[in-house]
Amino acid sequence: MNWLDAIKWDANGLVPAIAQDHVTGRVLMVAWMNREALALTVSEQRGIYWSRSRNKLWRKGEESGHVQLLKELRLDCDGDVLVLQVEQLGGIACHTGRESCFYQRYENGAWQVVDAVHKDPHEIYAS
């Protein structure tokens, strides 16, 4: 059996992929992968995802330079979620210019922004 066949792809041929800092363990982002994205991630040793909004492959960092170097890949017990242990180049995973996409914490009935912006997104995505 091909290693890709062990994955339980959803009806759209996708599987959720959690990117986690390989040193700190912090969850940086969650994205989706199709078979091609996962195969390319392994062969290129970098985070490559399927963009549902753009309906195409998305090499993390292709515009921002914030590439994710793959350190380890894991599949959960049900075969339907991936965890990518990555080295996040530039220290920014979120399009908002923050380290992580999970920068809001629930406190007292509301979401509070608790992580600083490391770089203005307009500087990151100037084109």
Side-chain angles (χ1 to χ4, degrees):
M1 175 168 81
N2 182 309
W3 65 276
L4 292 165
D5 295 334
I7 296 165
K8 294 179 184 167
W9 307 96
D10 73 8
N12 296 312
L14 301 173
V15 65
I18 300 163
Q20 184 179 41
D21 185 280
H22 78 107
V23 173
T24 67
R26 181 160 190 201
V27 173
L28 301 174
M29 56 176 261
V30 176
W32 295 89
M33 291 181 144
N34 63 8
R35 254 180 116 85
E36 182 181 13
L38 182 52
L40 287 169
T41 291
V42 168
S43 68
E44 295 183 23
Q45 290 294 288
R46 64 176 284 188
I48 301 171
Y49 304 98
W50 179 257
S51 171
R52 295 179 301 165
S53 60
R54 292 175 273 179
N55 202 35
K56 68 174 195 163
L57 286 175
W58 161 46
R59 283 174 166 77
K60 177 69 176 146
E62 64 192 357
E63 292 178 34
S64 67
H66 300 138
V67 172
Q68 293 176 341
L69 301 179
L70 183 65
K71 299 297 182 177
E72 183 175 274
L73 178 64
R74 290 185 179 232
L75 179 63
D76 81 326
C77 59
D78 293 324
D80 60 0
V81 178
L82 298 167
V83 173
L84 287 76
Q85 297 274 326
V86 300
E87 177 184 348
Q88 180 65 62
L89 299 185
I92 297 172
C94 185
H95 74 281
T96 66
R98 293 177 173 86
E99 175 188 8
S100 169
C101 294
F102 296 93
Y103 60 87
Q104 299 176 85
R105 180 170 55 214
Y106 180 79
E107 294 177 358
N108 302 317
W111 293 106
Q112 303 295 322
V113 173
V114 295
D115 292 351
V117 172
H118 293 297
K119 189 170 185 180
D120 184 324
H122 294 98
E123 293 176 29
I124 296 170
Y125 298 102
S127 45

